[in-house]
Amino acid sequence: MPQPYRVTSVDPADCHHALQAGLEILKGVGLVRAAQLVGRGLATIEDLLYHLPFRYEDRRDVSAIAEVGAGESGSLVGRLTSLRAGRLRGGRRRILTAVLTDDTGSLELVWFNPPRYIADALRVGQRLAVYGRIAPERGARLSLPHPEFEILDEESERRPEVRPVYEKPGDVSQANLRGWAAQALERFGGFLPSFLPSELAERQGLMDLNQAMEVIHRPDSAMAPDALEKARTTARRSLAFDEFFYFQLALALRHRQRRDTPGFSSPARPGSLTARMRELLPYRLTGGQERVLREIYRDMESPNPMRRLLQGDVGSGKTVLAWLSALRAMENGRQALLLAPTELLAEQHYERLRPYAERLRIRSVFLSGSLPAAVRKEITERIGDGEVDFVVGTHALIQEGVSAPRMGLGIVDEQHRFGVSQRSAFARLSLRDEAAGGGAGEPDLLLMSATPIPRSLAMVLSGDLEVSLLDEAPPGRTPVRTVVVQEGQRQRVYERVRSAVADGRQAYLVYPLVEESQKMPMAAAESMARELSRTVMRGLRLGLVHGQMPTAERDQVMRRFRQGEIQVLVATTVIEVGIDVPGATLMVVEHAERFGLAQLHQLRGRVGRGRDESHCVLIHYGSRDDDSRRRLEVLEQAADGFEVAEADLRLRGAGEVLGTRQAGFQGFRVAHLVYDSEMLQAARQEAHDWLARNPSLRGKVSRRVREELRYRWGEAMQLGTWAD
């Protein structure tokens, strides 16, 4: 039965130091193997302990050889009556065969290219306990390929055990992983940082981390199956809750730090720029846009800096809200800056907004790294002198030497494309110098993303931000019709591309790879661009873009596509965040099963930007009945990006959905954002309640939690210091 939660008595710094030891200190690892494991993500004792089994083999139910059949897994005990080493035909592969016999029959054990230790360990006459899956029947005798085995003493009455099964890093055996995990627990289990307040742990029914790891890595074979499963469930929950608690506490602290930071208040002004801009708009804002704008303005009127995430599906109208927010800052005498991840996207924003800026007599500039040095220097100086009201730029905005003394609002488009440090550097562009006109406050930040992130995931990733969801498409937006087809229909799809071009439209052809690979045999962008231009697309103007091209070259191809010089663009997912090409009405994705649903939704958002009906064709390679085909069919029914993202999260997990590391989110080693959502809510509540009772984090218990929090999230979350 689980024991009461035991708070670790070791100092947190000693715990962290011990758990960061390299694996070479374990018996049987060594420097060479340790270096190999680092490449597989197992660098430290802590990494090894959190490399949890993904299933268990219960070997306690021993079968007679005559009772097992082809394709079945089983635990068997017998005596080796034959052992023979040799080579397969051609002499390139070694083979080791043995015969295991009990009172009911015999079974052949087979190892192909066996490690030397197996041949050295086995002798005719030994008693063996073996475990594995019987191969499909091919002859008179059943065979068991690559069994796990244990040599038994003649007098041994020890029952076979419940064994953990791990994902293998390379050619490491399960036996080695079990042995190393056992060593790590013996030597370092006492350093596992169980620092949660005891009353919290008791309330949540948690084990301390040492006990939880023991249950998971070294299951007690004396326990009944039901009791063992219950213990494992409690152990896993304890590890997951521990992760969630510290993460939510870090988010709560970031939120509190922002609340206590001075900023700028930007109230509404009579005869304002925003009011004049509304008169210039050729359309009315939707109800959803009005709601989100009220949320943004409420934050901007506060004396504390806004930190708001605007989540909106492709084409939902985020840009106009960003512009109206920028105008609110400018009418209060502040500068507004918009940061975009690519030069082409930044250029598109600038060209779209410049006519409005000119009519409103707003001084605007565009800044990118590709501008001539002299031009870039002049623009940077004008921004630094406060002569410019509105700036659109790329990463060049956050380079050393750029400052914006009157910065009141920073807007980050496709915010997940920027790291935490980059967004922080953007927020610090203000000189914060009264003499220079900067003031002592931090500017407001509006982070925008069209990448559909599920609401449950957005809550976790942005727990220190206010979140606005723009989930209503503007009127007149034409939905993209999506269809899944099999590989055999490719020629018909290509004919459809030619037909669209003949009607004056443009098309995208998207491939998962830049170039062909022997490891992943599938169509690739470069080779297909050459083949198509010689065959079915001959006579059409084709272009090629992918992530390995120089940025300037890639942007030039995209500009030619936007201007209509290119009719068919062959591409990889580099176009996922791209530009508006109203003439593009057809998107074809080859090997669609290789992409996530959320990513495919982003890709199809490249079409349907104009008034004409648009289509997305997903070409599936595989059986009509396999799971990947059924997964793709979600897109035939769901047009809403958030609905798609929720399905993607259920099917693939948070890490795959995101594709990139998010701010403050490094992934959870144990916790799962879908299946543990109730636990996440409980951990969030516990973290907020505990911080409310002890806002200064004082006392012995708080000190330990604080140190553990710094260790796990201090750098990633950029948590400031707080009082002892």
Side-chain angles (χ1 to χ4, degrees), residues 184-203:
L185 279 170
E186 289 285 352
R187 297 176 58 181
F188 297 96
F191 291 100
L192 284 163
S194 300
F195 297 133
L196 296 185
S198 297
E199 67 274 14
L200 182 159
E202 182 178 352
R203 187 163 52 246

Side-chain angles (χ1 to χ4, degrees), residues 338-351 366-367 392-394:
L338 192 159
L339 176 65
T342 68
E343 181 167 334
L344 206 58
L345 188 57
E347 187 180 275
Q348 178 178 280
H349 282 313
Y350 182 67
E351 293 299 331
F366 173 74
L367 182 65
V392 179
T394 61

Side-chain angles (χ1 to χ4, degrees), residues 422-628:
Q422 291 173 316
R423 290 199 296 269
S424 296
F426 185 51
R428 292 194 298 268
L429 284 179
S430 171
L431 294 177
R432 298 181 178 87
D433 184 345
E434 292 286 356
E442 287 196 6
D444 295 325
L445 274 188
L446 179 63
L447 311 176
M448 302 195 302
S449 179
T451 300
I453 298 176
R455 291 169 175 83
S456 58
L457 190 53
M459 183 199 76
V460 176
L461 298 177
S462 311
D464 63 320
L465 305 176
E466 305 301 331
V467 180
S468 291
L469 295 176
L470 190 55
D471 49 10
E472 177 185 354
R477 174 80 187 199
T478 307
V480 178
R481 296 185 59 185
T482 302
V483 60
V484 181
V485 303
Q486 291 301 112
E487 174 193 4
Q489 297 174 269
R490 285 176 68 198
Q491 292 304 316
R492 291 178 57 188
V493 173
Y494 291 156
E495 290 171 8
R496 189 170 177 177
V497 172
R498 290 196 67 96
S499 176
V501 172
D503 290 339
R505 312 293 181 225
Q506 294 166 278
Y508 294 93
L509 296 180
V510 181
Y511 296 87
L513 301 177
V514 174
E515 52 191 18
E516 292 179 341
S517 166
Q518 291 183 346
K519 294 182 178 180
M520 302 176 68
M522 62 183 70
E526 284 191 336
S527 57
M528 288 304 298
R530 291 192 296 268
E531 180 182 335
L532 292 172
S533 65
R534 293 194 303 261
T535 56
V536 292
M537 303 291 173
R538 186 175 181 180
L540 304 185
R541 299 190 299 274
L542 268 65
L544 171 68
V545 291
H546 55 73
Q548 296 178 14
M549 296 170 63
T551 302
E553 181 182 346
R554 188 171 68 235
D555 287 352
Q556 182 58 34
V557 174
M558 292 294 290
R559 286 189 185 93
R560 292 177 58 211
F561 186 59
R562 182 175 61 180
Q563 293 163 2
E565 296 176 24
I566 292 173
Q567 296 168 312
V568 179
L569 186 64
V570 180
T572 60
T573 56
V574 71
I575 64 165
E576 184 180 349
V577 176
I579 57 172
D580 286 347
V581 182
T585 60
L586 179 59
M587 163 79 66
V588 178
V589 183
E590 293 257 21
H591 290 282
E593 71 280 355
R594 305 295 302 186
F595 300 86
L597 297 184
Q599 189 174 41
L600 289 170
H601 177 72
Q602 276 289 92
L603 287 169
R604 71 177 174 182
R606 293 301 101 213
V607 295
R609 317 292 289 193
R611 297 183 177 276
D612 297 317
E613 185 178 54
S614 297
H615 297 82
C616 178
V617 181
L618 306 177
I619 302 180
H620 173 256
Y621 288 65
S623 168
R624 283 182 173 273
D625 301 322
D626 67 19
D627 291 340
S628 63

Side-chain angles (χ1 to χ4, degrees), residues 143-456:
S143 67
L144 180 58
H146 296 279
E148 291 194 43
F149 67 89
E150 183 177 356
I151 300 171
L152 303 177
D153 297 334
E154 290 300 321
E155 300 80 18
S156 175
E157 296 296 330
R158 187 162 66 86
R159 292 164 56 90
E161 301 174 340
V162 177
R163 297 287 183 91
V165 181
Y166 301 87
E167 180 181 345
K168 296 203 304 180
D171 61 351
V172 178
S173 69
Q174 292 291 336
N176 279 340
L177 286 171
R178 293 180 192 124
W180 296 341
Q183 279 190 68
L185 279 170
E186 289 285 352
R187 297 176 58 181
F188 297 96
F191 291 100
L192 284 163
S194 300
F195 297 133
L196 296 185
S198 297
E199 67 274 14
L200 182 159
E202 182 178 352
R203 187 163 52 246
Q204 294 295 333
L206 306 179
M207 295 178 178
D208 57 83
L209 301 192
N210 188 7
Q211 185 186 3
M213 288 292 189
E214 283 281 351
V215 169
I216 286 174
H217 287 292
R218 298 200 288 190
D220 185 353
S221 297
M223 295 178 69
D226 289 348
L228 192 56
E229 180 60 30
K230 183 177 180 181
R232 281 202 296 260
T233 300
T234 303
R236 186 199 167 277
R237 186 180 190 279
S238 300
L239 296 174
F241 194 95
D242 186 81
E243 288 188 314
F244 277 155
F245 177 82
Y246 284 106
F247 184 75
Q248 291 296 334
L249 185 61
L251 292 177
L253 278 169
R254 270 182 58 167
H255 191 276
R256 190 177 73 177
Q257 287 176 355
R258 189 183 80 242
R259 183 193 63 200
D260 297 338
T261 301
F264 307 112
S265 177
S266 298
R269 300 288 183 184
S272 64
L273 293 171
T274 49
R276 290 159 57 194
M277 181 63 211
R278 282 178 174 269
E279 295 175 358
L280 295 176
L281 285 175
Y283 53 83
R284 294 173 61 88
L285 297 184
T286 66
Q289 287 174 313
E290 294 284 9
R291 169 180 51 78
V292 169
L293 196 58
R294 286 194 297 270
E295 294 170 351
I296 294 172
Y297 282 170
R298 185 173 61 245
D299 284 356
M300 294 183 71
E301 290 168 5
S302 166
N304 304 115
M306 172 178 73
R307 294 293 184 270
R308 182 168 287 275
L309 171 65
L310 173 53
Q311 279 275 106
D313 208 348
V314 175
S316 58
K318 298 183 297 300
T319 303
V320 69
L321 298 185
W323 176 236
L324 288 169
S325 303
L327 292 174
R328 170 63 71 92
M330 287 184 277
E331 67 192 18
N332 279 276
R334 294 288 167 185
Q335 293 171 306
L337 289 79
L338 192 159
L339 176 65
T342 68
E343 181 167 334
L344 206 58
L345 188 57
E347 187 180 275
Q348 178 178 280
H349 282 313
Y350 182 67
E351 293 299 331
R352 180 180 294 173
L353 297 174
R354 184 168 60 173
Y356 293 124
E358 290 174 348
R359 295 189 65 176
L360 295 172
R361 297 187 177 181
I362 290 170
R363 297 169 295 180
S364 64
V365 294
F366 173 74
L367 182 65
S368 78
S370 67
L371 292 173
V375 175
R376 194 164 65 246
K377 182 175 182 293
E378 180 198 353
I379 292 174
T380 298
E381 289 176 350
R382 290 180 61 200
I383 297 170
D385 291 341
E387 297 178 5
V388 174
D389 303 310
F390 182 61
V391 184
V392 179
T394 61
H395 292 79
L397 272 178
I398 51 179
Q399 299 301 311
E400 187 175 351
V402 179
S403 64
R406 294 191 295 109
M407 183 176 178
L409 174 66
I411 303 164
V412 183
D413 193 20
E414 294 297 336
Q415 61 91 22
H416 64 285
R417 296 295 179 107
F418 295 92
V420 178
S421 59
Q422 291 173 316
R423 290 199 296 269
S424 296
F426 185 51
R428 292 194 298 268
L429 284 179
S430 171
L431 294 177
R432 298 181 178 87
D433 184 345
E434 292 286 356
E442 287 196 6
D444 295 325
L445 274 188
L446 179 63
L447 311 176
M448 302 195 302
S449 179
T451 300
I453 298 176
R455 291 169 175 83
S456 58

